[in-house]
Amino acid sequence: MEKTTIVDLHCDTAIRLAKGQGLDSPKGHVSIERLRSGNVGLQVFACWVSPLYRRQRAVDRARKLIEAVRRQIAVHSRHLQLVFER
């Protein structure tokens, strides 16, 4: 039987990553092992900023979330790759 590749278009794990947890932590809902065992071929990490953040604080928060995701991509480069449109 052929495995189906899963595409998950939204997870809030970036918030957890920005708090210093990694994708190798068993505490979160998303981990490298879970992605692999669930046959997830594409995972979109939402970098959502609460409306409580305003102006420059919102920009700074968004950058922090994006950088947290990028760090995990670098740490787990054997399993993760950044995809973006040019």
Side-chain angles (χ1 to χ4, degrees):
M1 184 172 166
E2 202 172 308
K3 280 189 172 183
T4 301
T5 301
I6 304 298
V7 174
D8 182 356
L9 297 176
H10 183 105
C11 78
D12 292 319
T13 301
I15 294 169
R16 182 173 58 86
L17 299 178
K19 292 179 181 178
Q21 293 181 10
L23 289 174
D24 48 1
S25 172
K27 293 182 179 182
H29 295 281
V30 177
S31 69
I32 295 299
E33 183 55 40
R34 287 187 178 127
L35 292 170
R36 292 181 75 211
S37 67
N39 209 36
V40 176
L42 175 69
Q43 177 65 70
V44 175
F45 292 89
C47 294
W48 177 79
V49 177
S50 167
L52 297 176
Y53 291 89
R54 300 285 185 179
R55 298 189 171 129
Q56 189 60 44
R57 284 188 64 227
V59 172
D60 293 343
R61 177 69 174 158
R63 286 182 176 151
K64 182 176 180 175
L65 295 171
I66 292 166
E67 278 306 307
V69 172
R70 285 178 167 252
R71 275 194 305 275
Q72 288 302 299
I73 291 169
V75 168
H76 299 286
S77 61
R78 281 188 57 217
H79 305 288
L80 300 176
Q81 174 180 331
L82 181 63
V83 178
F84 57 93
E85 182 182 2
R86 286 187 178 207

